[in-house]
Amino acid sequence: MKERKTLKKSLKPHWVWAIALGSSIGWGAFVQPTNWMSTAGPLGAMLGFGIGGLLMMVIAVSYGFLIKSFPVSGGEFAYAFISLGRTHAFICGWFLTLGYICIVALNASAFALMFKFVFPKFVENLHLYQIAGWDVYGTEIIFATLALLLFGYLNIKGTGISGRLQFIFCSVMVISIVALSLFVGGQPISGFANVQPLFPTEKTAFAAVIAIVAIAPWAYVGFDNVPQLAEEFNFSSRKAFNLILGALFFAALLYILMILATAMARPWEGLVSENLLWGTGTVVQDLLGTFGLAILVIALSMGIFTGLNGFIVSSSRLLFAMSRAKIIPETFSKLHPKYDTPYIGIIFTVAVSLLAPWFGREVLTWVVDMSSIGVTIAYFYTCFTAYRLFKWKMGADFNPSVNVVSPLKKSFAGLGVVTSIIFLSLLLIPGSPAFLGIESRVALVAWIVLGIGFYLVKRKELNEIPEGELNYLILGDEEIIAKD
């Protein structure tokens, strides 16, 4: 049996916290508040994000337990293998890989979009073509490309560099959001009067809140980057749960602060009706001038950088774990001869993401909406695995190496399974607030068909790998086989 490659243990706790939080708070927190308010009103949006954060914390119980028990790269890919075997591990890894890479690409395009708002005359040069109603400019492609190449290079240089930068970026983002909220709240013409009415007049409060709760898997995706990094912790994996909870709490708070700041700056109904390119940017600039806009741009830049960095790290580790298990080509598990990083996975993630800006943001949004399915599937597998490993009581099938007696945590894991299924239903059932558009559904079918084709090609080879060897390659232990 070949020796199993492993990654260096170089990640500190506060770096991991910053990766979870920074990945959860991306461009959407700064660009989307007006869209969320048009859907649910200010209070509906804030309650939706608060409830969504709590539901993610329920799911996080399962993540915390599995990270502690199986601190290996691959995260949900490994968890699906533990409970349901190699085919389900492939399914989970296939969908999650797409989700992560799409988010990298979307953050890169958001970086270009920010410059388009701040320096429109400069960015709107080198007009190339139009796709789905979106004008594609050469200048914004250059901005997105430079951002991707920079963070790809930093990640190849080592986890220590990317982790340290992530913490700095995340700290600056948090400080900027808090400062911006205080400055907006302190202006004479802003205030809670602008937040009225609390909900849209044309829908019930319940419908408004549920519409926002439905996007929680997309909004908070990023805390699940933590299990991808578990193999690189230089601290006890028992701390992972508290780090995830802390990241989710701050993510919910920052989302709420950005919605509140946008709503207080100007009567929100009038703001929403203007259909501005960047509603939050416009009201902050009108209220606080260039100084306020600069703070917002810094916060947005940090949100984009933390998303780029966090998801490049996670996607490359997922590819590394799947390659180590012989599910995808072996080249993805090669480590850099000098930096010991999975550089092929990093290069692949950046290379695929470099294609995205050429297709225009509208097309990219369709694919990203579809990739929410992949993230939700990963939540399901994690909670289902934890539910099987937690026990109501000691029994004949109890395996002390993988099982824990905890009725409360088993209940949380079961609730996480139900929550994941509800989120998946909201994305797939026609008429639901988060039902995927036709373009996203077409992209989803295409990815499923591609996955089936790839699996059929690899199935014979994958099934020939002995169970013990696969346990060793994925989990680092030939003997760990979780069975009920």
Side-chain angles (χ1 to χ4, degrees), residues 1-293:
M1 189 183 295
K2 287 180 66 177
E3 185 180 353
R4 179 177 180 268
K5 293 178 182 178
T6 56
L7 300 172
K8 286 169 61 175
K9 296 185 179 297
S10 57
L11 283 172
K12 298 179 180 179
H14 59 287
W15 295 353
V16 173
W17 172 82
I19 288 171
L21 174 58
S23 302
S24 299
I25 297 289
W27 62 275
F30 309 96
V31 176
Q32 296 284 74
T34 50
N35 293 334
W36 295 330
M37 288 191 296
S38 70
T39 300
L43 185 58
M46 289 186 281
L47 285 174
F49 276 101
I51 294 169
L54 290 173
L55 291 174
M56 292 299 107
M57 288 180 186
V58 169
I59 290 173
V61 171
S62 298
Y63 275 91
F65 167 65
L66 291 172
I67 293 169
K68 181 185 72 175
S69 303
F70 308 101
V72 295
S73 292
E76 298 93 335
F77 160 73
Y79 308 153
F81 170 74
I82 291 165
S83 61
L84 291 168
R86 56 191 81 191
T87 299
H88 285 275
F90 171 82
I91 293 169
C92 184
W94 182 259
F95 276 103
L96 203 53
T97 300
L98 175 73
Y100 285 167
I101 292 176
C102 282
I103 296 170
V104 171
L106 191 67
N107 273 289
S109 74
F111 185 60
L113 188 65
M114 178 188 71
F115 276 97
K116 192 173 184 178
F117 176 83
V118 180
F119 308 109
K121 291 182 180 178
F122 174 69
V123 173
E124 291 179 357
N125 277 310
L126 305 175
H127 185 270
L128 301 177
Y129 43 77
Q130 190 178 81
I131 296 185
W134 185 269
D135 291 311
V136 178
Y137 295 93
T139 315
E140 59 184 342
I141 291 173
I142 292 170
F143 277 122
T145 300
L146 290 175
L148 285 165
L149 292 176
L150 173 63
F151 281 97
Y153 171 74
L154 291 173
N155 272 278
I156 290 173
K157 290 276 286 183
T159 311
I161 293 174
S162 61
R164 192 175 293 109
L165 282 174
Q166 185 83 0
F167 182 71
I168 293 170
F169 293 151
C170 203
S171 299
V172 172
M173 178 181 70
V174 172
I175 292 168
S176 299
I177 292 174
V178 172
L180 189 68
S181 301
L182 292 173
F183 283 129
V184 169
Q187 299 304 304
I189 62 171
S190 66
F192 290 108
N194 293 335
V195 180
Q196 301 292 334
L198 300 176
F199 299 95
T201 54
E202 71 278 4
K203 64 174 67 171
T204 64
F206 177 78
V209 172
I210 289 298
I212 300 300
V213 172
I215 65 168
W218 172 84
Y220 289 103
V221 60
F223 81 87
D224 56 308
N225 285 348
V226 174
Q228 303 298 339
L229 311 171
E231 197 168 303
E232 298 168 80
F233 291 173
N234 72 352
F235 56 92
S236 170
S237 56
R238 293 176 179 272
K239 294 182 179 179
F241 178 56
N242 289 333
L243 293 174
I244 290 174
L245 282 187
L248 284 170
F249 172 79
F250 274 96
L253 182 62
L254 296 178
Y255 272 121
I256 289 168
L257 283 177
M258 284 307 305
I259 293 166
L260 183 61
T262 305
M264 287 195 303
R266 185 193 297 181
W268 72 270
E269 287 183 309
L271 171 62
V272 165
S273 67
E274 293 180 42
N275 292 318
L276 298 165
L277 174 66
W278 185 14
T280 301
T282 300
V283 296
V284 166
Q285 186 175 33
D286 290 347
L287 189 67
L288 301 175
T290 305
F291 169 72
L293 183 62

Side-chain angles (χ1 to χ4, degrees), residues 320-338:
F320 169 81
M322 293 177 70
S323 172
R324 186 168 61 184
K326 301 181 181 180
I327 286 179
I328 61 175
E330 189 177 356
T331 187
F332 287 100
S333 55
K334 287 182 180 178
L335 298 179
H336 194 280
K338 182 177 180 181

